[in-house]
Amino acid sequence: MAAGLRSTARSREAHQAARRLMPGGVNSPVRAFHAVGGEPLTLESGFEARVRDVDGNDYIDYVGSWGPLILGHAHPEVVEAVTRALRLGSSFGAPTLAETALARRLVEALPSLERVRLVNSGTEAAMSALRLARAATGRDLVVKCAGGYHGHADGLLVRAGSGATTLGTPDSPGVPAAYASCTLVARYNDLDDLDGLFRAYPGRIAAFILEPVAGNMGVVPPVRGYLEGVRELTRGAGALLVFDEVMTGFRVAWGGAQVLYGVAPDLTCLGKVIGGGLPVGAYGGRADLMARVAPEGPVYQAGTLSGNPLAVAAGLATLEVLSRPGAYERLGLLSERLSEGLRGVFLEAGVPSYHTRVGSMLCTFFTPGPVADYDGATASDAALYAAWFRAMLEEGVYLAPSQYEAAFVSLAHRESDIDATVEAAARALARCVSSS
Ligand code: KE4
């Protein structure tokens, strides 16, 4: 794609109209491009590995709706499944065979998942899992990692406090200090930091919730032994281990990171891929814990559209395609080709960078690295990332509009897409460097 010849006039008009009606002109903040400058593209359609904006420009897509579209856009089996379900009725608010089938698929794929509850988002999944953990342990405090994101429930919007004894402070107005003070913050990949929290608050911590592969500070894999150590520390402290696999679930492996690394949490949160682009979240785990969830037990959680037939149909169709032999090998080969290609481009250009990948989620940090936690990630040159992001858009490549997100490869990407992306990256980087 020739650089600089892309008109985005209609996107700009659309965004101005949207801003008059919706905060920031978006329905989720990161979409507004505030971290990278410029105005967001208004997209009109997606097909396989590409999206098209309202000006008719096509882009190779590595956002994939922030993870769900592991099959690419408008996969025919997903379209057919949702269409078929819609013809039978969009929602009943009653049990259906399809939601039981999805529940069975999830339980069979994740050994730690003995029972599961379907919800509508990752936020609901994480919020509900922590309510259950507090009920089961009778404890109020929870631990999250600095740079970990688990949706926007009040108690989880807590600024990185890091440090062993720091009580969380709200990351957003509107969150009562009392809520945030029940959230402690640990450094990711640091067992001593977590151990320090358990020693500082003996018998008071209900759960430690973490992304087993951090994906919201860029992609930061667990260092060797970290997840096993976390498992032992939580067990020894009588706290529950909650893996937030909303992003990693069925992304990094069939099942997710807990299968890839062989560490079994007490509770798991899921979302994104299991809904195939429609709203599905889930939380589940040990049967004795899930028996506490209403209506079987006293822990209340509900949802009008939970287990919705359309969303469940999209999820089942997506998991069906992913379950076929060779799917994850293909995702790994394409993703390695991209990651290594980008590494070579940055090396050739002499631009300091640190490249991470787990399965088909990957990240290019604009820092020499290594990056093992939030401090390492935020050492990146976010301004240079932003310039590269904009130059890549002009080259026809749609990356995440923030250094602190993941890039996602889908089964719809081809080697030719990957190679075109690497070539575009070299041109984009050259322009960034020459103009800086
Ligand atoms: P949702 O409520 O957005 O479905 O899920 C929240 C969530 C929970 N846990 C993890 C590990 C997540 O990554 C997310 C959502 N991810 C963000 C971006 N990485 C979604 C994009 C957005 O917020 O618009």
Side-chain angles (χ1 to χ4, degrees), residues 28-31 66 120-124 126 149-152 211 215-216 244-247 272 280 404-406:
S28 197
V30 71
R31 304 177 190 175
W66 303 95
N120 297 283
S121 69
T123 293
E124 275 189 86
Y149 179 69
H150 310 288
H152 62 89
E211 298 170 62
N216 286 284
D244 179 346
E245 296 226 44
V246 167
M247 186 184 291
K272 294 184 193 277
V280 177
Y404 308 115
E405 295 291 349

Side-chain angles (χ1 to χ4, degrees), residues 183-278:
T183 304
L184 303 167
V185 181
R187 186 187 304 275
Y188 180 68
N189 271 331
D190 186 332
L191 289 172
D192 291 340
D193 206 18
L194 180 64
D195 189 35
L197 285 171
F198 283 126
R199 293 177 187 281
Y201 299 89
R204 296 181 56 197
I205 295 173
F208 176 39
I209 184 169
L210 79 160
E211 298 170 62
V213 175
N216 286 284
M217 52 174 111
V219 177
V220 184
V223 299
R224 186 182 304 277
Y226 177 65
L227 295 180
E228 295 82 353
V230 157
R231 176 66 281 181
E232 286 319 305
L233 280 173
T234 48
R235 186 173 284 129
L240 298 183
L241 176 58
V242 183
F243 273 5
D244 179 346
E245 296 226 44
V246 167
M247 186 184 291
T248 55
F250 296 91
R251 166 62 65 178
V252 299
W254 177 256
Q258 58 191 268
V259 174
L260 184 67
Y261 294 101
V263 175
D266 299 298
L267 292 172
T268 296
C269 307
L270 294 167
K272 294 184 193 277
V273 168
I274 69 165
L278 270 68

